Amino acid sequence: MTAIETQVQYSSYMMTTTEEYMNQEDSWDRDLLLDPAWEKQQRKTFTAWCNSHLRKAGTQIENIEEDFRNGLKLMLLLEVISGERLPKPDKGKMRFHKIANVNKALDFISSKGVKLVSIGAEEIVDGNVKMTLGMIWTIILRFAIQDISVEETSAKEGLLLWCQRKTAPYRNVNVQNFHISWKDGLALCALIHRHRPDLIDYSKLRKDDPVGNLNTAFEVAEKYLDIPKMLDADDIVNTPKPDEKAIMTYVSCFYHAFAGAEQAETAANRICKVLAVNQENEKLMEEYEKLASELLEWIRKTIPWLENRVAEQTMHSMQQKLEDFRDYRRVHKPPKVQEKCQLEINFNTLQTKLRLSNRPAFMPSEGKMVSDIANAWKGLEQVEKGYEEWLLTEIRRLERLDHLAEKFKQKSTLHESWTTGKEELLSQKDYESASLMEIRALMRKHEAFESDLAAHQDRVEQIAAIAQELNELDYYDAATINARCQGICDQWDNLGTLTQKRRESLERVEKLWETIDQLYLEFAKRAAPFNNWMDGAMEDLQDMFIVHSIEEIQSLITAHDQFKATIPEADKERMAIMGIHNEILKIAQTYGIKVVGENPYTVLSPQDISNKWEAVKQLVPMRDQMLQEEVARQQSNERLRRQFGAQANIIGPWIQTKMEEISHVSIDIAGSLEEQMSNLKTYEQNIINYKSNIDTLEGDHQLSQESLIFDNKHTNYTMEHVRVGWEQLLTTIARTINEVENQILTRDAKGISQEQLNEFRASFNHFDRVKRLVEPFLTRTPPATSPTPFPKIHETLKYLTHRTMSDVMDGFAAVI
């Protein structure tokens, strides 16, 4: 390896080129040259490493920067690690002597292909720690690390790869570098355990105890491997990134410690290997003979089994044969294939080993050559292939048969399930008691069944075809298949016959029901208006009537007679309607149809028509009787009217006449007051005697009231008029008599003469006539907006009209 390549391996501290080294030198100046923790670790490690070699010369160093200043121990160190003699050192103690010795050491290092940059003898002599450590690191790289080679990698990379290979099987160990990968101590313990498992129980180590792990490795390495303790566990654990150079220096000691042991082990293994090869060759020869004999015997026994071509009758038996063949392929043959392959491999391997060992080739026994075994195996595979093809063909045949049989059973089961109850359904005569709508529904249902039946025709044909194919393939249970197929075909033919018969029956009944339906419709069309006519007739016949005259009742009788004249024609219509119903019954009876339910077009039944017709016929005489009774009643009322009218027409004028006569008597001045009184008494007696006529008229009026007679065309007088007139008559006669009596008393009391009295009476009569003229005017209430134009005259006339003859006589007497 060249000097440049060597320097590449430790470029993190001492760079390979002058420029890199100077750049690092500048960084040392900026960063105070070296991290104190790293400096401490390097001091300790490099010191221990130097002492591990100096002790071979019976010396050691205590302070690395002081003990190398004179150059003597430095030259001694180089002689020990290189095995070469250096120039004789200067014995003086002067500075230049020291510089000369150090230069001799540095020249020797340079002669080994190491290019030292910025490291001069003066710095070493002056005790420059950084330069001294850099120089020692350069020596370590050249003489301890540079010559390490692992799988085409060397120096640092080779050492790292060696560590990775050795520690790969260990848990919690992952060596990726020479700093933090070693902090927990497990990597160092793994290196020791890999080469000396008797020194460390790796299973008891814990990753969370790095100090303990490191101290264990340091102690075991120092005690059993002659590797001095170059590191401090606390320094490594407490440093975020341990110094790489210190770790590499320490780990390289392990590489050199174990490398010699491995070389000795390799030599011993070579000797053992030669002996093992010879023994193995003998063993392979014996195994070949044994395996060849067993394999040929197995082939000899297997071929007759594979040549057996006796077919089984059932799929189960053939499947068992197939399963046996699969077991042969899966269980029995693979080991034999492996044996055959292993036999060939062993034979080839044996021949190769013998050839490499310069020994004669192996010759098996007769008939056991590899070619003999290959020929026997080829014959086995040919028979096996034929047996497999036969098995597959036979299984496919039986599988086809089983498939067809299963398919036949499935389709037959479906068909039989579908046909269950169909014959009973087709044999029903439910249409005999169904209505037209139900018949049509049954017809549609039957058409749907026919479509379903036609759709199932393919299934029946498939069943027959499958049965035929099973017979052609000589199915073992063909008799059962044939019997079932024949039953299905016979049932299918019967279903077709029943389907046709039911269609014919449904069509026949449908036509009959269409005729009945037309009759139902005709019945409904004629029964509805006829029923309405009967309802109207019953309503008219039961209608309550109120009449007040012979003419009104006679009008009702005339209308009733006209109604009776329409009854024969109505009876003909009724007979026609009932004839329609009878025609329906006749059709139903003739063709055996059960007519159930009501007419779909009407709620009227023939019985309803008959009942109403009977009711109408019963109401007609009842109506006749009612009308005749009303005629008699009206005739009686007419007699009462005539009787009342005759009497009222007599009494009413009589009362008027008497009223006028009394009025004339009261104003007559021809006679004396006594004569007037006498005449008035006579009138009063006559009026009293006439009271019986009023009572008779009251009796006739009472009869009229009881007969509900409220009008009378034979008179203008009502009983109320008569009563009022009669009461006025009695009041008038009584007042007139009282007036005359008062006049007599006034005359006698005032001493009025007859002449004066006549004058008073004449004046009174005059005002009495005025009273009769103005009394209507005075009794009329004038509107509030039309005041009386002559209030004083009005008051005077009002006053006069309320005065009697006696009042006038009193007034005149007072004047006189």
Side-chain angles (χ1 to χ4, degrees):
M1 180 176 289
T2 64
I4 295 177
E5 292 174 337
T6 302
Q7 293 176 59
V8 169
Q9 305 300 321
Y10 59 92
S11 59
S12 62
Y13 190 91
M14 185 68 69
M15 306 304 293
T16 58
T17 66
T18 303
E19 181 180 357
E20 292 172 345
Y21 188 86
M22 292 307 294
N23 290 338
Q24 187 172 3
E25 190 75 20
D26 293 339
S27 67
W28 289 346
D29 293 338
R30 288 192 302 267
D31 301 332
L32 299 179
L33 302 179
L34 190 65
D35 184 270
W38 286 8
E39 180 180 337
K40 179 182 179 181
Q41 292 177 19
Q42 288 185 13
R43 277 173 175 272
K44 186 171 184 178
T45 302
F46 291 174
T47 301
W49 183 83
C50 292
N51 287 331
S52 68
H53 292 284
L54 289 174
R55 67 183 176 182
K56 297 176 183 178
T59 185
Q60 64 179 6
I61 62 173
E62 298 294 337
N63 191 320
I64 194 166
E65 69 271 18
E66 291 295 333
D67 294 345
F68 284 140
R69 290 180 64 183
N70 59 9
L72 296 177
K73 288 188 178 181
L74 178 60
M75 294 176 68
L76 182 60
L77 174 65
L78 291 172
E79 288 181 351
V80 172
I81 62 178
S82 67
E84 299 180 15
R85 295 292 297 178
L86 269 71
K88 186 177 180 181
D90 293 348
K91 297 298 184 178
K93 297 183 180 180
M94 301 299 290
R95 175 178 171 82
F96 68 90
H97 293 116
K98 298 178 181 179
I99 293 174
N101 291 334
V102 173
N103 278 325
K104 291 176 182 179
L106 296 177
D107 291 340
F108 179 78
I109 295 172
S110 297
S111 68
K112 296 300 181 182
V114 178
K115 185 177 181 180
L116 297 174
V117 180
S118 300
I119 299 179
E122 292 78 4
E123 286 83 358
I124 304 300
V125 172
D126 293 337
N128 189 317
V129 178
K130 287 18 175 220
M131 294 301 172
T132 304
L133 291 175
M135 179 189 66
I136 298 301
W137 172 241
T138 302
I139 295 171
I140 293 172
L141 280 176
R142 173 59 184 86
F143 296 100
I145 298 176
Q146 180 176 322
D147 294 335
I148 296 174
S149 177
V150 178
E151 295 185 6
E152 299 181 359
T153 61
S154 59
K156 177 181 176 182
E157 287 77 9
L159 181 61
L160 181 62
L161 180 60
W162 179 79
C163 295
Q164 290 174 341
R165 292 294 177 83
K166 296 300 181 180
T167 60
Y170 291 86
R171 59 182 175 83
N172 297 326
V173 177
N174 183 17
V175 178
Q176 298 295 329
N177 48 58
F178 285 108
H179 37 80
I180 60 175
S181 296
W182 305 83
K183 285 188 67 174
D184 56 7
L186 292 177
L188 289 172
C189 293
L191 283 176
I192 297 172
H193 185 269
R194 180 64 180 268
H195 295 88
R196 294 289 302 275
D198 56 311
L199 299 180
I200 292 179
D201 187 356
Y202 188 83
S203 61
K204 293 182 178 180
L205 300 178
R206 293 183 298 109
K207 188 175 180 63
D208 58 355
D209 185 20
V211 174
N213 298 336
L214 289 168
N215 286 328
T216 298
F218 296 157
E219 293 170 1
V220 170
E222 185 173 20
K223 183 176 181 180
Y224 297 101
L225 302 179
D226 196 26
I227 298 174
K229 184 178 180 182
M230 301 180 183
L231 300 171
D232 185 84
D234 293 330
D235 292 343
I236 295 176
V237 172
N238 296 327
T239 303
K241 182 179 179 182
D243 182 64
E244 185 179 46
K245 301 172 183 61
I247 298 294
M248 285 180 62
T249 301
Y250 187 65
V251 172
S252 66
C253 295
F254 283 88
Y255 175 82
H256 292 293
F258 294 130
E262 288 180 354
Q263 292 175 357
E265 184 180 356
T266 301
N269 289 339
R270 288 178 180 175
I271 297 173
C272 294
K273 186 176 182 181
V274 172
L275 296 175
V277 167
N278 292 333
Q279 294 176 355
E280 186 179 357
N281 291 340
E282 296 294 332
K283 184 178 180 180
L284 287 175
M285 294 178 186
E286 294 175 0
E287 288 181 355
Y288 179 87
E289 291 287 336
K290 181 180 178 182
L291 287 175
S293 300
E294 292 176 354
L295 185 58
L296 289 171
E297 180 64 18
W298 178 80
I299 293 173
R300 185 185 64 80
K301 291 181 180 179
T302 304
I303 288 177
W305 175 69
L306 294 175
E307 289 176 342
N308 184 11
R309 299 291 193 274
V310 179
E312 300 292 341
Q313 294 296 322
T314 63
M315 185 65 179
H316 177 73
S317 300
M318 288 305 298
Q319 285 178 340
Q320 185 60 47
K321 278 198 169 189
L322 179 61
E323 188 63 28
D324 294 341
F325 182 71
R326 287 174 177 171
D327 287 342
Y328 158 76
R329 279 279 187 85
R330 183 173 56 249
V331 179
H332 302 293
K333 185 179 178 181
K336 299 304 178 182
V337 173
Q338 185 66 29
E339 289 178 9
K340 176 178 174 296
C341 181
Q342 189 63 42
L343 192 68
E344 294 174 353
I345 293 173
N346 291 347
F347 182 80
N348 294 330
T349 302
L350 178 60
Q351 298 292 29
T352 302
K353 288 182 177 181
L354 290 173
R355 186 173 63 252
L356 294 175
S357 301
N358 294 320
R359 297 188 62 186
F362 169 66
M363 290 297 295
S365 303
E366 184 178 358
K368 297 180 181 179
M369 295 289 292
V370 172
S371 58
D372 297 332
I373 295 172
N375 292 332
W377 190 265
K378 184 177 181 180
L380 173 68
E381 287 188 335
Q382 289 177 350
V383 175
E384 178 184 318
K385 182 179 180 182
Y387 185 74
E388 182 180 16
E389 292 176 352
W390 173 78
L391 269 180
L392 294 176
T393 301
E394 189 64 23
I395 286 175
R396 279 194 292 267
R397 185 185 72 83
L398 291 177
E399 187 178 23
R400 174 65 178 168
L401 284 174
D402 285 351
H403 172 72
L404 289 173
E406 185 63 28
K407 190 174 181 180
F408 177 85
K409 292 177 183 178
Q410 182 183 9
K411 288 184 176 294
S412 298
T413 301
L414 289 174
H415 178 78
E416 289 166 353
S417 175
W418 180 81
T419 56
T420 301
K422 295 295 188 298
E423 292 174 307
E424 292 79 1
L425 180 65
L426 293 171
S427 301
Q428 289 181 354
K429 295 185 178 181
D430 49 353
Y431 49 81
E432 293 182 352
S433 60
S435 64
L436 177 60
M437 296 301 295
E438 292 171 340
I439 290 294
R440 289 174 176 170
L442 289 174
M443 194 66 187
R444 288 191 293 272
K445 184 177 179 181
H446 187 70
E447 289 172 353
F449 174 78
E450 287 178 330
S451 299
D452 197 13
L453 187 70
H456 280 76
Q457 177 69 31
D458 291 341
R459 180 181 290 167
V460 176
E461 293 175 355
Q462 290 174 4
I463 291 172
I466 293 171
Q468 183 178 356
E469 187 174 357
L470 286 171
N471 281 276
E472 292 173 354
L473 293 175
D474 194 21
Y475 184 58
Y476 75 95
D477 199 14
T480 304
I481 298 294
N482 292 335
R484 191 171 184 181
C485 180
Q486 187 61 42
I488 290 173
C489 293
D490 293 342
Q491 185 187 36
W492 185 255
D493 294 338
N494 187 37
L495 284 175
T497 302
L498 291 174
T499 300
Q500 184 61 31
K501 287 182 179 180
R502 182 170 175 83
R503 167 170 276 281
E504 293 172 356
S505 299
L506 287 172
E507 289 176 347
R508 176 178 56 83
V509 174
E510 184 181 20
K511 291 179 180 179
L512 292 174
W513 264 108
E514 286 176 350
T515 302
I516 293 174
D517 189 68
Q518 290 295 325
L519 293 173
Y520 270 144
L521 182 59
E522 182 66 21
F523 178 90
K525 288 181 178 180
R526 301 183 69 171
F530 184 70
N531 182 68
N532 291 336
W533 177 85
M534 288 192 296
D535 287 339
M538 292 175 67
E539 183 179 357
D540 292 340
L541 291 172
Q542 297 179 83
D543 185 26
M544 300 299 297
F545 54 84
I546 299 175
V547 295
H548 302 289
S549 64
I550 292 294
E551 291 77 7
E552 291 179 0
I553 191 60
Q554 193 62 45
S555 175
L556 291 176
I557 291 173
T558 302
H560 184 62
D561 291 340
Q562 292 174 354
F563 167 75
K564 288 191 293 183
T566 62
I567 288 179
E569 188 65 27
D571 191 39
K572 289 180 181 179
E573 179 66 15
R574 181 188 67 82
M575 293 299 293
I577 293 171
M578 298 305 294
I580 295 172
H581 176 68
N582 293 333
E583 181 66 19
I584 293 172
L585 297 178
K586 181 179 178 181
I587 292 173
Q589 184 177 4
T590 303
Y591 295 100
I593 298 175
K594 297 179 182 179
V595 180
V596 296
E598 299 177 350
N599 189 325
Y601 300 107
T602 181
V603 296
L604 296 173
S605 66
Q607 188 63 41
D608 294 336
I609 300 296
S610 298
N611 292 340
K612 283 191 178 181
W613 180 252
E614 292 299 325
V616 169
K617 290 196 300 183
Q618 291 176 5
L619 288 173
V620 170
M622 293 173 62
R623 185 70 171 183
D624 287 336
Q625 182 180 355
M626 289 176 61
L627 290 172
Q628 292 304 319
E629 289 176 354
E630 185 62 26
V631 167
R633 193 175 71 84
Q634 289 300 326
Q635 289 175 351
S636 175
N637 289 347
E638 183 64 20
R639 286 193 297 271
L640 288 174
R641 287 191 187 94
R642 292 179 181 276
Q643 182 177 340
F644 181 84
Q647 293 182 9
N649 289 336
I650 295 172
I651 294 173
W654 182 85
I655 292 174
Q656 278 186 320
T657 302
K658 293 303 177 184
M659 287 286 289
E660 292 176 357
E661 290 178 353
I662 292 171
S663 176
H664 287 102
V665 170
S666 64
I667 62 174
D668 189 7
I669 60 175
S672 63
L673 292 174
E674 286 74 6
E675 291 175 352
Q676 288 182 4
M677 179 61 70
S678 175
N679 291 332
L680 289 172
K681 290 293 185 180
T682 300
Y683 277 113
E684 183 179 20
Q685 188 60 45
N686 290 336
I687 290 170
I688 292 171
N689 293 335
Y690 200 78
K691 179 67 168 59
S692 59
N693 294 327
I694 299 300
D695 293 339
T696 300
L697 187 62
E698 284 282 1
D700 293 340
H701 175 69
Q702 183 66 31
L703 292 175
S704 297
Q705 291 290 310
E706 292 174 356
S707 299
L708 302 178
I709 300 173
F710 301 108
D711 60 342
N712 195 335
K713 65 180 181 178
H714 300 293
T715 180
N716 292 327
Y717 294 100
T718 64
M719 193 65 219
E720 186 63 28
H721 293 157
V722 173
R723 288 193 191 104
V724 173
W726 179 255
E727 290 174 357
Q728 288 180 350
L729 179 60
L730 292 176
T731 301
T732 302
I733 190 63
R735 288 175 60 187
T736 304
I737 292 173
N738 180 261
E739 181 64 26
V740 174
E741 289 177 346
N742 288 335
Q743 290 178 18
I744 293 173
L745 290 175
T746 302
R747 181 197 65 184
D748 292 342
K750 301 298 182 178
I752 301 172
S753 64
Q754 186 63 37
E755 294 177 356
Q756 291 175 331
L757 182 60
N758 290 337
E759 185 179 355
F760 294 153
R761 291 174 66 186
S763 299
F764 180 80
N765 290 336
H766 172 73
F767 284 111
D768 188 56
R769 286 195 298 275
V770 174
K771 174 185 175 183
R772 286 196 295 273
L773 291 174
V774 303
E775 191 173 32
F777 171 76
L778 295 174
T779 58
R780 185 174 63 212
T781 303
T785 57
S786 301
T788 304
F790 307 104
K792 292 187 178 294
I793 297 175
H794 184 272
E795 292 296 329
T796 303
L797 292 174
K798 188 175 182 182
Y799 171 80
L800 291 175
T801 56
H802 287 82
R803 303 296 120 189
T804 63
M805 183 62 188
S806 299
D807 295 332
V808 175
M809 290 176 66
D810 289 339
F812 277 101
V815 173
I816 297 171

